[in-house]
Structure formats: structure tokens, C-alpha cells
Amino acid sequence: MTSTRQESPWVRRYQQAPADAVTLVCFPHAGGSATSFHPLSRALAGRLDVVAVQYPGRQDRHREPAFEDLHELADAAYEAVVEAVGTDRPLALFGHSMGASVAFEVALRLEQRAGVKPVSLFVSGRRAPSRHRSEDLHRKGDDALLREIRALDGTAQAALDDEDIVRMFLPSLRADYKAIERYRSAPGATVGCPVVALTGDTDPKTTVEEAGAWQEHTTGPFDLRVFDGGHFFVSERTDAVARVLSGQLDRFR
């Protein structure tokens, strides 16, 4: 299946890329936006065609309701990727935290509905779908949600101290937490593409064992990469993460 690139509210490109570059589609964390991948895009400039997904409910899409169901979000993201990015050249997916689960579900849809196998799926900062924790933060008050984001240290302090900004992003943040906390993959769900799991060694949201369990969700090759850092190790170790991605994908050019 092929598709020409179309303008879409779902995708952002921050760097030019060679015509033969692999396209890497990046899916943000809960409460996150496409701009969270700007540093990674810059680190991969000239090597990969980095596309960042913009979910509804944030930044320039803040007037659109955010999805509260991860499968529905993955359905919409899959359609947007096929339409706006195309499937006529090598395609890889990268997702961080909630985005890892979205990327996994999009990879499943690409394989099952479009007959397209991504050249790689990178799942970062998220436990495997078969590893569950009892979580219900989305049912708690705003203060609890804000304490969670402060503890994970992935949002600029200045933004958290600005009441107008907080008021704007809290609805989408709560929707994201509802989506990921209620998410369950289909029993035995596996992709056929290679999977690379990335995790921080002090991440409170994902243990190394929980990250390694992604191996159960692919019939292809699997690799686990552990970095120094917490939940947002990607921001702390951007260059090292970029080397892993380009090392895996350069051979597909």
C-alpha cells in the first residue's frame, strides 16, 4: 500500500531529511506534544526523516477533545500516518511512555490492516502490555495529577507554575492518563517487526524486567537498551538514544 504525503494536523516535521531516509514516526508521552521530539529530531537531522505526532487536545489542537481510549487514539493515529506519511518507503515507529503503547497499537494496525511491517518498533519508558499495575490517577484530583508530573520531572517548572497553562493542559493530561491506565492490549498481541525497548535504570514507572517483557510481543528480533536516568531519560540522553535509533535504521536506507 502506498500513499503520497498530505498536510495533516497530526504530523510535524522540524528538520529536512535525505530523500532516501527511513521515516521515524514518534508518539509522545501522556500530556506530551509533538514538540517534545524536537531535540531528538535535531539529533537525527540528515539521517532519518523524523515525524512527530500531535495528538488532539494540546498546543495548536487544544480546542479538540483528547481521546480517552487508547485504542481509539491508535485508530485515528494509524489513519493519519497512512494518509500523511505514506507507506511507500521504510517506516519505523518510536513511542515514549504512553506513546510506546500507541506506537505498538499503530504497528499492529499497519501489519494487520495495511499489510505493512515497520522496519523497527522502538518502545521507550513503558512496560510491556502484558505487565500491569493497578493505577487510577485519572480518577483523582488535579493536585494529584500535578504532583505526578512534578515527580517525573518531564515538564518545565515554569509551565507548572503558570495557572493559565496548567488550566489549558490538565483536561488532555487527565484524558491521557485515563486512556493509558485503562489500556489493555488484545490477548497475545504480537507484531512481526523487530522491537527495541529502551528504559531508564531508575524509572519509577517501568522496571528493567517490565521493559524486557516487550520481547513477548514480537515474533521478530528483540533488543533491550538500558540508559542512566529516570522516566524522561530520552531528554537527558538524547544523543545516546539517537545513536541507538540511527544504528538500527541506517541499514534500511
Side-chain angles (χ1 to χ4, degrees), residues 117-187:
K117 184 185 293 186
V119 294
S120 286
L121 168 64
F122 300 93
V123 285
S124 168
R126 183 66 190 171
R127 57 190 175 273
S130 53
R131 299 296 185 270
H132 304 300
R133 297 186 188 185
S134 179
E135 297 174 317
D136 62 351
L137 194 60
H138 71 278
R139 299 178 183 275
K140 299 182 179 178
D142 293 346
D143 288 344
L145 275 175
L146 292 173
R147 279 196 300 272
E148 167 87 352
I149 347 201
R150 289 181 192 276
L152 293 177
D153 199 24
T155 304
Q157 186 63 44
L160 295 175
D161 291 339
D162 188 312
E163 290 185 9
D164 290 336
I165 294 177
V166 168
R167 201 162 40 242
M168 182 177 292
F169 76 69
L170 265 176
S172 60
L173 178 67
R174 185 175 299 282
D176 287 353
Y177 267 81
K178 183 176 182 180
I180 192 58
E181 289 178 348
R182 297 173 62 187
Y183 165 67
R184 295 293 183 270
S185 63

Side-chain angles (χ1 to χ4, degrees), residues 72-238:
E72 293 178 1
L73 173 57
D75 283 338
Y78 158 75
E79 295 289 348
V81 168
V82 170
E83 180 179 0
V85 178
T87 57
D88 53 337
R89 66 179 186 177
L91 185 68
L93 309 180
F94 177 97
H96 182 70
S97 194
M98 180 186 82
S101 298
V102 179
F104 174 66
E105 290 293 334
V106 171
L108 286 171
R109 285 155 176 75
L110 283 167
E111 293 187 1
Q112 295 169 359
R113 300 179 187 178
V116 173
K117 184 185 293 186
V119 294
S120 286
L121 168 64
F122 300 93
V123 285
S124 168
R126 183 66 190 171
R127 57 190 175 273
S130 53
R131 299 296 185 270
H132 304 300
R133 297 186 188 185
S134 179
E135 297 174 317
D136 62 351
L137 194 60
H138 71 278
R139 299 178 183 275
K140 299 182 179 178
D142 293 346
D143 288 344
L145 275 175
L146 292 173
R147 279 196 300 272
E148 167 87 352
I149 347 201
R150 289 181 192 276
L152 293 177
D153 199 24
T155 304
Q157 186 63 44
L160 295 175
D161 291 339
D162 188 312
E163 290 185 9
D164 290 336
I165 294 177
V166 168
R167 201 162 40 242
M168 182 177 292
F169 76 69
L170 265 176
S172 60
L173 178 67
R174 185 175 299 282
D176 287 353
Y177 267 81
K178 183 176 182 180
I180 192 58
E181 289 178 348
R182 297 173 62 187
Y183 165 67
R184 295 293 183 270
S185 63
T190 56
V191 293
C193 64
V195 171
V196 179
L198 305 89
T199 191
D201 59 0
T202 59
D203 186 351
K205 304 292 286 185
T206 303
T207 67
V208 173
E209 185 278 331
E210 288 172 326
W214 279 101
Q215 185 169 12
E216 302 169 13
H217 296 275
T218 179
T219 58
F222 175 78
D223 193 13
L224 173 65
R225 301 295 184 97
V226 181
F227 297 81
D228 294 336
H231 188 61
F232 286 98
F233 69 91
V234 175
S235 300
E236 303 162 1
R237 303 283 182 267
T238 301

